Amino acid sequence: MALCTRLQSFPSSSLSSNHIRPTKALNFHPICSLHYNSHSPFTEKHSIERYHRDQWLYKTQLENIENIASCSSPPPDSNSVRQNEIALQLPELKKLLQVLREKREREGCGGWKKCGPGNVFLVGTGPGDPELLTLKAVRVIQSADLLLYDRLVSNDVLDLVGPNARLLYVGKTAGYHSRTQEEIHELLLSFAEAGATVVRLKGGDPLVFGRGGEEMDFLQQQGIHVKVIPGITAASGIAAELGIPLTHRGVANSVRFLTGHSRKGGTDPLFVAENAADPDSTLVIYMGLSTFPSLALKLMHHGLPPNTPAVAVERGTTPQQRMVFAELKDLANKITTVELVSPTLMIIGNVVALSPLWSLSMNEASCMEEIHELLLSFAEAGATVVRLKGGDPLVFGRGGEEMDFLQQQGIHVKVIPGITAASGIAAELGIPLTHRGVANSVRFLTGHSRKGGTDPLFVAENAADPDSTLVIYMGLSTFPSLAQKLMHHGLPPNTPAVAVERGTTPQQRMVFAELKDLANKITTVELVSPTLMIIGNVVALSPLWSLSMNEASCLVQAK
């Protein structure tokens, strides 16, 4: 399913009620790909859920989002996409402003300025679970005229919005800000001046890493009354979910919230590690997925014990919640292994060991041995035991370990091979893994390795073969570094490549790009695990390659 509409070229926008800039003549461009995001509890930037929710903004241009044809011309860069989207929205925003002004005049205000401005509410929606909303937040959400919502306001929370309210997505993700902070300020001001009840929805608490303080300060300087409705911050919601007390007598006498990245000119989180390395405190890290490996090393360097209990939680309090517990020294590797994605929050401190889940997680190291024993026990009892594995059991499936263990115990093992992910996905995309004159070999590589194994980054020198095909399993988190290594060791930057999420399933998504661009494209479309990468000149033999190149490598194909 793809959204491909023609967008008008539009420079940076200002929606102040006193000076709404006129649009220029239409300059058609496709928006990029539209796709379902059933795997995400939140609003993703180009998801079909977002456009259905905000379709009132596009009704003069789009009659039926579902039936828009696939993009066939090159989309612009991210900034052009953003500006063109604003241009699409502008007519309906201006119309809504006019309706609000006329409503005030009908109510006998004698001119909208004489009535005074409307109210702006900064509302915290918590970490995702709609049952964590306050009663006040629900009341305000259901009475709003216009709601500006962020990416991390969950879909379940947005379902509570009143039927007559208008929703406008202003979320920010890596590489794509649908609105700048200054534009958000102008939107809030414009509609408040028109007398609207405007609600600014933010995930968590609006005054904890939500930039609510900046919005409140700007509006108050303009004479707009701002009411903040606090939300349950992610640290509290997730800690409660996991049974972790953020403070505890004799274990942690304080708690510190730290952002994993900072505003330009702000203090880099890595440089506060010396003060944050306190064994008697609890450290909670927001938005720190990419910087955590470096931060963990800094914390240990400044004295935080390497065996300090820690946990990383992805999409906490939602049905899609995933988590990994580990000692501080191991947490970065565990995050890489299970391929957690944003938003992920980390809690570090001795209080983590008080969670009932901690002891269970520490026993996971013996999980493989327990599987071995289960297989052995039932086989010795005379049962016919079937061990089901995805793909091929002898290709990154640890089937070899299970086979070796059982054979040593005198158990006969029969391996039934499966179609490995590489073969299934390559066939789906029409990519020959080998081809005379193009690729004389194919190599399967795991993106992460067992403790003591060869790190995939260090095999790049041997894997950088232009005459071979390279297939990377479980490498979503390490791929940016691996791609750099491959190019450093001689693999041409323009080598064709593709990343495929959930290949051969109805939820399959993919992105084609040259090697030098693939990591950025994966980030832009936010592929999640399991994702497999195929790199090599054979990728260009796929009938989808030329189509993807015509779309400036911005193809995301939903099967």
Side-chain angles (χ1 to χ4, degrees), residues 256 258 262 266-276 295 298 302:
R256 181 172 187 175
L258 177 67
S262 58
T267 302
D268 190 293
L270 303 186
F271 294 101
V272 303
E274 183 174 1
N275 294 327
L295 179 58
K298 287 277 188 178
H302 288 296

Side-chain angles (χ1 to χ4, degrees), residues 206-239:
L207 301 183
V208 178
F209 303 128
R211 304 189 72 171
E214 298 172 48
E215 294 171 6
M216 181 170 58
D217 182 58
F218 170 81
L219 291 167
Q220 287 175 340
Q221 289 182 26
Q222 308 301 317
I224 304 298
H225 178 69
V226 180
K227 176 68 175 177
V228 179
I229 299 178
I232 292 176
T233 189
S236 296
I238 291 170

Side-chain angles (χ1 to χ4, degrees), residues 204-474:
D205 185 283
L207 301 183
V208 178
F209 303 128
R211 304 189 72 171
E214 298 172 48
E215 294 171 6
M216 181 170 58
D217 182 58
F218 170 81
L219 291 167
Q220 287 175 340
Q221 289 182 26
Q222 308 301 317
I224 304 298
H225 178 69
V226 180
K227 176 68 175 177
V228 179
I229 299 178
I232 292 176
T233 189
S236 296
I238 291 170
E241 186 83 5
L242 275 55
I244 297 172
L246 292 174
T247 62
H248 193 279
R249 184 171 295 186
V251 181
N253 56 25
S254 67
V255 58
R256 181 172 187 175
F257 297 167
L258 177 67
T259 174
H261 62 260
S262 58
R263 290 181 60 196
K264 187 176 181 180
T267 302
D268 190 293
L270 303 186
F271 294 101
V272 303
E274 183 174 1
N275 294 327
D278 180 1
D280 296 323
S281 184
T282 304
L283 183 62
V284 182
I285 303 166
Y286 291 67
M287 303 171 289
L289 204 54
S290 60
T291 58
F292 181 73
S294 300
L295 179 58
L297 290 174
K298 287 277 188 178
L299 289 169
M300 291 185 286
H301 174 74
H302 288 296
L304 199 59
N307 64 348
T308 300
V311 63
V313 188
E314 172 195 297
R315 297 166 172 169
T317 79
T318 74
Q320 292 80 16
Q321 173 178 295
R322 295 197 300 148
M323 71 191 84
V324 58
F325 286 82
E327 294 179 346
L328 176 60
K329 68 179 187 299
D330 301 320
L331 186 60
N333 287 336
K334 290 289 183 69
I335 289 171
T336 298
T337 298
V338 301
E339 298 181 338
L340 297 187
V341 299
S342 173
T344 289
L345 178 135
M346 278 74 76
I347 305 175
I348 303 167
N350 292 319
V351 292
V352 174
L354 300 178
S355 168
L357 300 174
W358 173 256
S359 58
L360 293 175
S361 69
M362 291 300 97
N363 290 331
E364 286 180 1
S366 61
C367 182
M368 194 63 196
E369 289 73 16
E370 290 174 2
I371 293 173
H372 289 173
E373 291 298 330
L374 276 171
L375 293 171
L376 177 61
S377 297
F378 282 95
E380 287 180 334
T384 298
V385 185
V386 176
R387 176 77 165 103
L388 293 177
K389 292 176 173 286
D392 189 302
L394 301 183
V395 178
F396 305 128
R398 302 189 73 170
E401 298 172 48
E402 296 173 6
M403 180 172 62
D404 182 58
F405 169 80
L406 292 168
Q407 287 176 338
Q408 289 182 24
Q409 309 302 317
I411 303 298
H412 176 69
V413 180
K414 175 68 174 177
V415 178
I416 299 177
I419 295 175
T420 186
S423 297
I425 291 171
E428 186 81 3
L429 274 58
I431 297 173
L433 291 175
T434 62
H435 192 281
R436 181 172 296 184
V438 181
N440 56 26
S441 66
V442 58
R443 181 172 184 175
F444 297 167
L445 178 67
T446 173
H448 62 259
S449 57
R450 291 182 59 196
K451 188 175 180 180
T454 303
D455 189 293
L457 304 186
F458 293 101
V459 302
E461 183 174 1
N462 294 328
D465 180 0
D467 296 322
S468 184
T469 304
L470 182 62
V471 181
I472 304 168
Y473 290 68
M474 302 170 290

Side-chain angles (χ1 to χ4, degrees), residues 3-7 28-31 58 61-62 68-69 71 88:
L3 171 67
C4 180
T5 185
R6 300 303 184 179
L7 310 173
F28 296 129
H29 290 296
I31 206 173
Y58 306 99
Q61 292 84 8
L62 304 177
I68 300 300
C71 298
L88 265 182

